[in-house]
């Protein structure tokens, strides 16, 4: 059965309208359109609208998005007047691009807020109805946070990679040493104490 | 990490089900949620399985290093069955999204089911505190205590400009969402709900269905919550909710009163028919149960019904849900069997002389 939203892909999700305990209508839609519909309901606060109306609105939105997405795709990054591609910000930590964020509505990592900050402010102003969009609440007390748990976990992960490499290279002496180090570190973490030399 | 007892899943202990607390005639519960992420990792949606595994371990270690509550339960959601995960959703301990996600993820909650901490939801940590009735102050101070304890052992991702950084920009800043679950049968009967929603929206508050984002309202239950998380302090968000929600409560109460004085026969008829149906039905769908329970709840408040307690009604809203029935039966039930079991449960709970 084809999706009743995009009318292209096979439908896997059924949406039912219930009015006064009676199912009035049902619709079959595909997983991709469902993601759109859910975002749309949330963003537009249309939970109580009949699904038929919502699907019509989403269909129009998708078709308008497809045309703009197409235009963007045809000119990757957009050509600057000099003929050189304009700079497109990409997050050095997680590889997120502005186009991907716009499509998903979710960031990839905390650094994205810094990378996309010029594009972000108008969006935040709209979402939170505040100008300029600046935090007013509390922030964690400076210097108070202890990141030893994170560091230890990252150290264990590093040692495990080294252990894997040592085993592959059949360097069993090194592997045994690494295994003991990992065990010591994990025991210390589990016991809730700082590991000996845990900051290495 | 403690293990749950085998029958744990069939016995909801949620304090919020008590049907007590301020304004319990209209408000079921007040929930305050904080979104937090740990520095040095991508957000859950972009983290690979190994990173999510590391995050879960870090979070669980931190949660057990800190004194959260006298007794907590930590569950590895990958190790649970689908039914067990759905039970946690029906009890509002985890979100539908977390139940249906993949990869390492978990939940830690207190025995009273007031505190719940989801790990690897959209954000690394989602801390929530639920109180029975309209009790923003207590829920807020309880969850702040947890937040302060956790920030000593976990480096949270923040920025000076944007506060607590979250996967979705709708949560950034304080990361705080206050949701008040309200029962609005009179406003629904009189078709005033849309009006309330629009007014709430104008004041930057959102109205959602019972199970949150994208869900429809069942049993005339709605969630009122703050929309904005940035540009206001936590205290301002608290006082805004405390200014707006009571207006909705007053409106609902006024309509209940009007219904009862001006359309007494109509209300009594609706309420008592619903009670009679629930006390006699041999098969009940979940929607049918919830809409009639809604009328019974209204009847209890208006004292049309005197032999049923608010607590019984509130509990049925949870124990009559599909996964709770499934678990209680310890078997996979088909839809018809489930409807029969649900009717049986409702009959036994509402039987005269049991309340």
């Amino acid at each position: 059965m084809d999706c009743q939203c995009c009318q292209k892909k096979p439908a896997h999700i059924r949406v039912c309208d219930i009015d006064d305990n009676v199912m009035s209508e049902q619709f079959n839609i595909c997983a991709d359109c469902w993601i759109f519909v859910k975002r749309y309901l949330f963003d537009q606060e249309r939970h109580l609208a009949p699904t038929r109306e919502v699907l019509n609105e989403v269909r129009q939105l998708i078709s308008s998005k497809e045309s703009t997405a197409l235009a963007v795709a045809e000119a990757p990054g957009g050509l600057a007047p000099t003929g050189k591609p304009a700079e497109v910000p990409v997050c050095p930590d997680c590889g997120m691009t502005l186009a991907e964020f716009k499509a998903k509505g979710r960031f990839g990592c905390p650094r994205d807020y810094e990378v996309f900050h010029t594009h972000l402010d108008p969006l935040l102003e709209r979402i939170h109805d505040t100008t300029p969009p600046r935090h007013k609440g509390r922030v964690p007390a400076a210097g108070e946070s202890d990141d030893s748990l994170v560091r230890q976990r990252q150290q264990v992960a590093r040692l495990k990679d080294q252990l894997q490499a040592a085993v592959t290279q059949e360097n069993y002496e090194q592997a045994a040493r690494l295994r003991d180090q990992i065990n010591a570190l994990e025991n210390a973490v589990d016991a809730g104490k700082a590991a000996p030399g845990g900051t290495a | 990490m403690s293990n749950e007892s085998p029958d744990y899943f069939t016995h909801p202990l949620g304090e919020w089900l008590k049907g007590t607390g301020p304004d319990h005639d209209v408000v079921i519960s007040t929930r305050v949620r904080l979104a937090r992420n740990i520095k040095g990792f991508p957000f859950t949606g972009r983290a690979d399985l190994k990173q999510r595994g590391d995050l879960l371990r870090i979070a669980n270690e931190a949660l057990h290093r800190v004194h959260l509550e006298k007794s907590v339960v930590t569950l590895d959601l990958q190790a649970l069955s689908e039914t067990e995960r759905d039970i946690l959703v029906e009890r509002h301990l985890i979100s539908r999204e977390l139940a249906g996600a993949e990869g390492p993820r978990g939940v830690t909650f207190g025995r009273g089911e007031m505190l719940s901490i989801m790990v690897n939801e959209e954000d690394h940590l989602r801390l929530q505190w639920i109180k029975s009735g309209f009790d923003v102050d207590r829920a807020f101070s309880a969850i702040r205590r947890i937040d302060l304890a956790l920030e000593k052992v976990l480096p949270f991702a923040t920025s000076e400009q944007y506060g607590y950084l979250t996967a979705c920009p709708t949560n950034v800043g304080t990361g705080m969402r206050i949701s008040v679950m309200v029962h609005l049968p009179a406003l629904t009967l009189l078709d005033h709900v849309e009006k309330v929603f629009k007014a709430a929206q104008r004041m930057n508050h959102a109205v959602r269905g019972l199970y949150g984002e994208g869900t429809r309202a069942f049993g005339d239950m709605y969630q009122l919550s703050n929309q904005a998380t940035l540009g206001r302090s936590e205290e301002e968000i608290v006082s805004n909710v405390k200014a707006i929600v009571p207006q909705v409560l007053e409106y609902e109460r006024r309509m209940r009163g009007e219904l009862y004085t001006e359309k007494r026969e109509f209300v009594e008829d609706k309420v008592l028919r619903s009670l009679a149906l629930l006390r006699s039905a041999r098969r009940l769908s979940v929607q049918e149960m919830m809409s009639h329970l809604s009328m019974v709840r209204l009847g209890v408040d208006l004292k049309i019904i005197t032999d049923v307690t608010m607590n019984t009604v509130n509990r049925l809203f949870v124990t009559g849900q599909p996964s709770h029935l499934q678990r209680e039966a310890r078997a996979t039930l088909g839809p018809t069997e489930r409807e029969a079991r649900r009717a049986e449960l409702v009959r036994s709970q509402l039987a005269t002389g049991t309340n």
Side-chain angles (χ1 to χ4, degrees), chain B residues 95-307:
Chain B
S95 62
R96 274 207 192 288
E97 286 71 21
L98 189 72
E102 276 170 20
R105 61 204 194 283
V107 63
T108 291
F109 52 89
R111 283 281 174 192
E113 297 184 15
M114 288 188 274
L115 169 68
S116 151
I117 299 171
M118 290 189 268
V119 182
N120 283 341
E121 222 265 12
E122 180 180 293
D123 295 302
H124 298 153
L125 294 175
R126 287 277 177 101
L127 326 173
Q128 67 166 37
W129 198 283
I130 309 186
K131 284 288 294 173
S132 186
F134 186 47
D135 205 347
V136 189
D137 287 329
R138 271 197 228 171
F140 171 62
S141 60
I143 204 64
R144 164 150 290 179
R145 178 179 67 77
I146 303 291
D147 185 36
L148 291 179
L150 282 175
E151 77 175 29
K152 294 210 167 71
V153 289
L154 289 173
F156 290 141
T158 57
S159 87
E160 207 176 302
Q161 263 187 2
Y162 300 127
Y164 290 94
L165 303 176
T166 54
C168 184
T170 53
N171 296 313
V172 76
T174 55
M176 183 163 94
R177 183 99 50 219
I178 302 176
S179 302
V180 183
M181 201 200 295
V182 290
H183 180 222
L184 307 177
L187 289 174
T188 312
L189 270 176
L190 296 169
D191 250 347
H192 287 304
V193 172
E194 277 291 338
K195 211 156 75 186
V196 173
F197 293 177
K198 292 214 175 98
Q201 236 169 313
R202 273 197 303 276
M203 291 180 281
N204 245 301
H205 282 60
V207 185
R208 303 191 172 83
L210 184 52
Y211 290 103
E213 192 171 316
T215 64
R216 318 255 333 211
F218 279 135
D220 311 323
M221 301 277 192
Y222 304 88
Q223 286 191 56
L224 282 162
S225 53
N226 63 302
Q227 191 93 290
T229 54
L230 183 72
R232 294 119 176 107
S233 68
E234 289 83 354
E235 289 75 13
E236 282 172 308
I237 295 173
V238 166
S239 65
N240 284 343
V241 169
K242 280 166 70 179
I244 287 162
V245 172
Q247 296 178 37
V248 178
L249 308 186
E250 277 320 307
Y251 195 10
E252 165 68 19
R253 284 187 190 120
R254 208 168 64 234
M255 291 303 117
R256 284 186 193 183
E258 257 175 45
L259 267 178
Y260 197 50
T261 48
E262 286 163 29
K263 299 182 177 175
R264 188 171 190 135
E265 207 176 51
F266 167 77
V267 181
E268 284 182 342
D269 182 63
K270 259 199 146 347
V271 163
L272 293 170
R273 271 170 187 270
S274 286
L275 181 63
L277 187 141
L278 292 177
R279 276 181 171 159
S280 310
R282 260 44 184 178
R283 276 189 199 169
L284 275 177
S285 72
V286 71
Q287 290 90 336
E288 208 181 1
M289 174 190 78
M290 294 195 52
S291 75
H292 291 295
L293 277 178
S294 168
M295 285 301 108
V296 169
R297 200 176 186 281
L298 175 66
V300 173
D301 176 51
L302 294 175
K303 305 212 165 49
I304 299 170
I305 298 170
T306 51
D307 61 348

Side-chain angles (χ1 to χ4, degrees), chain A residues 25-195:
Chain A
E25 268 193 293
Q26 50 174 309
F27 303 87
N28 297 297
I29 59 180
C30 70
D32 291 343
C33 288
W34 175 238
I35 294 171
F36 266 107
V37 170
K38 260 178 55 173
R39 289 285 321 152
Y40 187 77
L41 289 175
F42 177 62
D43 290 342
Q44 305 294 322
E45 295 295 334
R46 295 277 280 152
H47 313 309
L48 297 160
T51 306
R52 181 175 296 279
E53 277 176 29
V54 171
L55 288 187
N56 274 331
E57 290 160 23
V58 169
R59 202 176 298 128
Q60 283 170 13
L61 199 73
I62 291 176
S63 61
S64 72
K65 271 210 175 133
E66 269 172 0
S67 49
T68 51
L70 224 66
V72 173
E74 279 163 4
L79 283 183
T82 55
K84 279 189 283 179
E87 261 191 49
V88 180
V90 177
C91 174
D93 283 359
C94 74
M96 179 65 72
T97 63
L98 194 60
E100 193 183 349
F101 166 68
K102 282 186 175 162
K104 289 184 176 161
R106 298 287 185 280
F107 282 128
C109 77
R111 188 150 180 200
D112 293 351
Y113 280 89
E114 187 189 310
V115 175
F116 303 112
H117 119 102
T118 47
H119 302 267
L120 194 56
D121 276 9
L123 177 75
L124 291 175
E125 280 181 22
R126 216 169 38 214
I127 298 175
H128 299 281
D129 191 25
T130 177
T131 316
R134 295 292 172 265
H135 181 52
K136 263 183 81 183
R138 77 178 294 278
V139 284
E144 236 185 77
S145 175
D146 165 13
D147 60 355
S148 63
L149 278 174
V150 175
R151 275 188 285 108
Q152 279 166 8
R153 183 57 38 208
Q154 283 164 343
Q155 199 188 352
V156 169
R158 252 195 322 275
L159 289 173
K160 280 186 177 165
D161 286 345
Q162 288 173 19
L163 174 64
Q164 194 56 48
V167 171
T168 316
Q169 292 160 13
E170 300 186 11
N171 187 348
Y172 297 115
E173 241 174 81
Q174 168 83 351
R177 238 191 346 266
L178 287 165
R179 185 203 54 211
D180 293 344
Q181 257 181 294
I182 291 169
N183 285 343
L185 209 52
E186 297 219 327
N187 289 339
V189 171
D190 288 341
K193 288 177 294 202

Side-chain angles (χ1 to χ4, degrees), chain B residues 40-87:
Chain B
F41 286 89
F43 295 132
T44 310
R46 214 172 181 81
D48 59 32
L49 288 179
K50 196 169 148 290
Q51 287 170 318
R52 279 187 246 174
D54 283 343
L55 278 163
L56 182 59
R57 288 202 60 161
I58 292 171
N60 282 344
E61 281 157 14
L63 293 176
H64 287 269
R65 194 175 281 194
V66 164
H67 179 77
L68 299 168
E69 264 201 278
K70 218 181 277 166
S71 165
V72 295
V73 180
T74 294
L75 298 175
D76 173 0
L77 293 184
Q78 276 185 304
L80 298 185
S81 70
E82 206 184 319
T83 307
E84 289 167 333
R85 289 198 293 261
D86 285 345
I87 283 179

